[in-house]
Amino acid sequence: MGSFPEEHDWGLLQTVLGGESSHESWMQLALEEARVAATEDEVPVGAVILSGGRVIASGHNQREQLADPTAHAEMIALTQAAASLGSWRLENCVLYVTLEPCPMCAGAILQARVPCVVWGAADPKAGAVESLYRLFEDRRLNHRVEHVGHVLEAECGRLLSDFFRDKRRYR
C-alpha cells in the first residue's frame, strides 16, 4: 500500500474513495483504457480521473500514434480533466492508473495538485512513486500526493507482460 502524509485527512480520503473494492472498480475502467492502447499497438497503460465520484477524464498511452514522447495515459487524462474542470488545479480529483507513474507523469500530477493517485503494477525501470523514486512524498516539494499502489497489480502487470512478450515474438 502507499503512503499517506500526515497533513492529509485520511478519513476524508476514505470517504471520497470508498475503500478497496471501489479502488478495484475504478481500476477496471483504467484497465479498459489500457486494453484500448494495446489494440492500437501502444504500451497498454490506461488512466481515469474522478471528481465528485464520477469519471471526468480518461486516457491511454498514445506515444506511437501521436509521435509524442509525452503522450502517456496520465498526461492525456490530466489534460482532459483540466479542460473538463476549466482549471489546471485538480485539487478534488483522484487519478487511477494501471502502471506506477514515471518521473514525468509524477511531476505533472504534482504540478496539477492531484491529491490522490491509485496505481496498479509497479514499474521497476521507471517508477517514481515507490520503485525508483518517491516523488509524491518528497518534503522538498510544495505538494505531496497520497497514493495507494498494487491495486489489481496482477491483472495490470499481466496486460503489460503479454504485450511485450507478443512484441518480442513477432519481431
Side-chain angles (χ1 to χ4, degrees):
M1 294 303 259
S3 171
F4 300 94
E6 297 159 7
E7 61 272 5
H8 292 285
D9 181 353
W10 174 233
L12 175 62
L13 183 66
Q14 277 187 316
T15 301
V16 169
L17 296 177
E20 189 66 27
S21 64
S22 279
H23 291 327
E24 292 177 0
S25 297
W26 296 118
M27 188 62 76
Q28 285 294 342
L29 293 178
L31 276 162
E32 287 177 27
E33 282 290 329
R35 289 183 192 99
V36 171
T39 67
E40 296 173 357
D41 204 28
E42 297 279 355
V43 174
V45 177
V48 295
I49 297 179
L50 308 177
S51 180
R54 66 182 182 85
V55 175
I56 62 164
S58 62
H60 56 272
N61 276 2
Q62 292 183 288
R63 291 190 317 169
E64 300 298 329
Q65 189 174 353
L66 299 176
D68 180 353
T70 69
H72 288 200
E74 301 96 309
M75 302 295 281
I76 291 167
L78 289 169
T79 299
Q80 283 183 12
S84 173
L85 296 176
S87 174
W88 62 268
R89 289 181 182 89
L90 305 180
E91 296 169 324
N92 296 310
C93 296
V94 179
L95 184 147
Y96 283 81
V97 61
T98 59
L99 182 64
E100 177 184 3
C102 71
M104 174 183 68
C105 293
I109 291 163
L110 284 157
Q111 290 297 316
R113 307 298 191 263
V114 174
C116 183
V117 172
V118 179
W119 51 274
D123 186 349
K125 294 183 178 181
V129 177
E130 177 182 288
S131 296
L132 295 179
Y133 307 103
R134 294 184 176 268
L135 290 181
F136 290 168
E137 301 167 24
D138 193 326
R139 296 211 176 268
R140 296 170 295 180
L141 300 172
N142 67 340
H143 180 70
R144 275 168 287 295
V145 177
E146 296 168 348
H147 57 94
V148 177
H150 311 283
V151 174
L152 297 182
E153 182 172 32
E155 191 171 350
C156 293
R158 187 172 36 260
L159 188 58
L160 286 158
S161 297
D162 291 351
F163 176 81
F164 287 114
R165 183 195 64 237
D166 291 347
K167 282 291 207 191
R168 286 188 299 275
R169 182 180 299 153
Y170 296 113
R171 276 190 190 171

